[in-house]
Each structure stands twice: as C-alpha cells, then as structure tokens.
Amino acid sequence: MNPDTAPRPLRCIIALIGRRNAGKSSLINALTGQEVAIVSAQPGTTTDAVAKPYELLPLGPVTFFDTAGLDDDGELGELRIKATRRVLYKADMALIVVPEQGLDNHDKQIIAEVQKLGIPFILVFNKSDLAAVSAADRDYCQNRHLSWISASAATGQNIERLKQQLIELAPSEFREDPLLVGDLINPGDTVMMVVPIDLSAPKGRLILPQVQVLREILDCNAVAVVTKESELAASLSGLKQPPALVITDSQVVLKVAATVPSEIKMTTFSTLFARYKGDVDILSRGAAAIDRLRPGDRVLIAEACSHHTLADDIGKVKIPRWLQQYCGGELQFEFCAGGDFPDDLEKFALVVHCGACMLNRTEMIRRLRECERRGVAVTNYGIAISKTQGVLERIMAPFS
C-alpha cells in the first residue's frame, strides 16, 4: 500500500513532541530519510504540525507529525501548543524528544500528560553526538520503567533501532489485522450488502466503510452480492441458498429487516464499524439512554468529517427527526465535525457519533472514554437508528 494514498484512518499516527529546539524536525527528517521539516537553531521554527506519510515495514503505512514545542510562549505560542495537543489527541504513539541538556520539568510534565492519555511512547534523547545521557536521566527512566533511546538525527546513530522500537511498541490493531466481518463468516459464504443509492451517496463510488467491508469479504474467500434496497427481495430470491449474513446501510434498516427473513442474520455497516473503530459494548449501552431522553434535552451529533449538508442529511436531519419522534418532543441539537469535540460534554444527555470511518481507532476510543469519564451516554449513528426503528436486538445478534 502506498503510504501517500493509504486511507488516513488506516495509518498509524506517530507524534513527535517536546520542547522547542529539541531536534524534533531533524529527527523526523532522519526517520523518513527526507527533508520534510525545516530545521533551524532558532527555537520555535516549527509553527504548525507537519505531516509526513511513510511506509514503516513491516508495520505498514504511518504518518509522522512534527509539532511545535510545548514550552512555547506568548499568544501565538498558546495557539501552537493547542495545535500540538490536537495532534497528540489523535496519536497512536508518541516520540518525546529530549535535547542534549537532558530532562527538565517541561519534559516531565509532557511525560505525565502522555501517560494520562494512555499513549504508548518512547523517550528519545536526541543529539547524542553532543552529549551522552546523564546517570540521573538513566535512573529516572529505569525507576519509572520508561522506554528510552539515545539517538542522533545529525549522525543517524540509532535511527534504525528507533524504528524497530516503534514497530514493537505499536498498538495491537496495527500489528494484527483488525476484523470488520471476518469472524462472522466462513469461506464460501454468501454475504449480501445492501447499499442505497440516493442523494447522499457519493457519485460514481461507494463510501469507505462499504469498500472496506467488501474487501474483507473477498479476503475471507466469501462471495459478496451488492444490491440496492429496492432490489433486495429479487436479489434474495435469485440465490440458490440464503446468505449467511446481510449487511445494510442503517438508513434503510427497517425496510431491510422487513424483507430479510428472521432466520437470516443481519447487521449494519455502522455497527461493524462500532467495534472496528471503537467499543461496541460502550456504544450499545449508550443506546439505552435514548429511552431516557426527554423533550428539551441536549444531544450532540458528532461527525468525523465535514461535508456539504443535503436536504435529508443523515446526521443533521434524519437522526434528529427519528430521535424526536422516539422521545415524543423537541430536543436541542448541537453539531461538531472533523477534529472538533467539545470540552463541555456534561451538558449533553446523549452523544451520537458517526461510524468514524475518517478517524483512527485511538481517537475514537479516547472520545468514548472521555464521554464515559464525564458520565455522558454515547452511541453511534447505526446503533441509534436501529434503536429508534425497533430492530437493535436483531442487528446486534450476529455479535453474540
């Protein structure tokens, strides 16, 4: 897979963070073997996060992010620090880069912050050509069981060893092949995918979740049949044997459930992504909060990508309509998209998140955990739709 064309959510995101002038830009250049970031002895040269796709074999496609120093100052410095933290929030791993002077209080605060976020990290004592790691810093790392390495971006010392440590540190979902549907089907099974083609469907192509599910069906040596909901009955009757599984777009789940015989297992693309990108147990528990919604409650609709809103948009129109019909009154809806996720979660009775096809799993898991920490129920589009349509138990059945 070309690292420049790999879908963003499939890339492992590695953030290089630390103080100004720690050598982060030099290190990302050394890791990628390219002049990606501007290098200067002037502190604060990096103002915005710089992303570089790279193929880190055998791990696969990754994205290195060079970031502004977390000890920046002034009004602009605060904005740069916020931008760095946004990168850190979605990182799967981090390299905390320490200059030749060794650890100081800023570095230790950074370590504490990364540990609090639960991000695997390596301390990189950079510029080993200028100074060796002190005994005090060695003891600090050893006493706290911190992974560390002494390296030099200038000479290339231990750069290959650092890459190997990154491969070994990578979260299991990047070292193992995550499953969307592979554990639900067997070789030779027929799987029917129900894909509506309406105003919200992208012209000339399928959306990413549909493509990924289709590819995994084929990788499992099963047979994929793709049909529209309007052709579903004819497609089913044309099969010699019933499909092992039907996977539908959530927007037509009620119609599909009425058409597919009850003995045939069915679920939704969004439910598959609930476990692929997040935690299906948290999201299914969150759906129970829909029963507790009362008129006037606030609901957050969170999307991972920004797009032009159509007349019958799923997030901004359909889900709000279905939720209000279900609870019997008007609700207050707020919306966020892309990397935005509000800090004042406590004001919401429910968060309904999209399938997160454009987020990596780490970022989605953090959003779920943050909701749980604040005591806010969270579910996703497909599970919420199935709940309001009265078919949640059926679409969850394949996973039990």
Side-chain angles (χ1 to χ4, degrees), residues 40 53 56 65 72 83 103 106 117 149 165 202 227 235 245 262 307 323 327 332 336 358-359 378:
S40 170
L56 185 59
F65 272 93
D72 214 334
L103 291 168
H106 276 111
L117 289 171
I149 189 172
Q165 283 188 234
T227 185
S235 299
L245 180 67
S262 59
H307 61 269
L323 286 174
C327 77
Q332 299 182 58
C336 68
M358 296 308 294
L359 292 179
V378 58

Side-chain angles (χ1 to χ4, degrees), residues 189-192 235-236 239 241-246 260 263-265:
D189 282 348
T190 297
V191 182
M192 185 161 287
S235 299
L236 285 169
L239 296 176
Q241 293 182 334
L245 180 67
V246 172
V260 175
E263 63 271 18
I264 297 177
K265 292 182 178 180

Side-chain angles (χ1 to χ4, degrees), residues 295-312:
D297 282 347
R298 291 190 180 192
V299 177
L300 175 67
I301 306 291
E303 296 188 320
C305 60
S306 301
H307 61 269
H308 177 64
T309 302
L310 297 173
D312 214 15

Side-chain angles (χ1 to χ4, degrees), residues 348-369:
F348 298 107
L350 177 68
V351 174
V352 184
H353 207 290
C354 70
C357 64
M358 296 308 294
L359 292 179
N360 61 40
R361 188 169 190 270
T362 299
E363 187 171 358
M364 186 60 185
I365 287 289
R366 285 213 190 92
R367 290 187 175 193
L368 298 183
R369 288 176 179 165

Side-chain angles (χ1 to χ4, degrees), residues 17-19 70-71 81 85 88 96 103-117 121 123 140:
I17 60 172
R19 287 183 273 153
L70 283 170
D71 61 338
I81 290 172
R85 287 203 165 96
L88 189 58
I96 301 177
L103 291 168
D104 74 354
N105 287 333
H106 276 111
D107 298 312
K108 293 174 182 178
Q109 289 171 5
I110 294 169
I111 292 169
E113 184 171 350
V114 173
Q115 287 177 321
K116 185 178 178 181
L117 289 171
F121 69 93
L123 273 174
Y140 182 89

Side-chain angles (χ1 to χ4, degrees), residues 284-294 297 349-350 377-378 387:
S284 59
R285 287 199 305 270
I290 295 174
D291 289 326
R292 301 191 294 270
L293 286 177
R294 296 293 178 265
D297 282 347
L350 177 68
V378 58
K387 172 70 174 176

Side-chain angles (χ1 to χ4, degrees), residues 19-26 29 37-50 66-69 71-72 80:
R19 287 183 273 153
R20 290 175 294 173
N21 216 31
K24 299 184 294 297
S25 299
S26 297
N29 288 346
I38 299 172
V39 175
S40 170
Q42 176 68 35
T45 300
T46 302
T47 56
D48 295 312
V50 176
D66 184 21
T67 63
D71 61 338
D72 214 334
R80 292 168 185 160

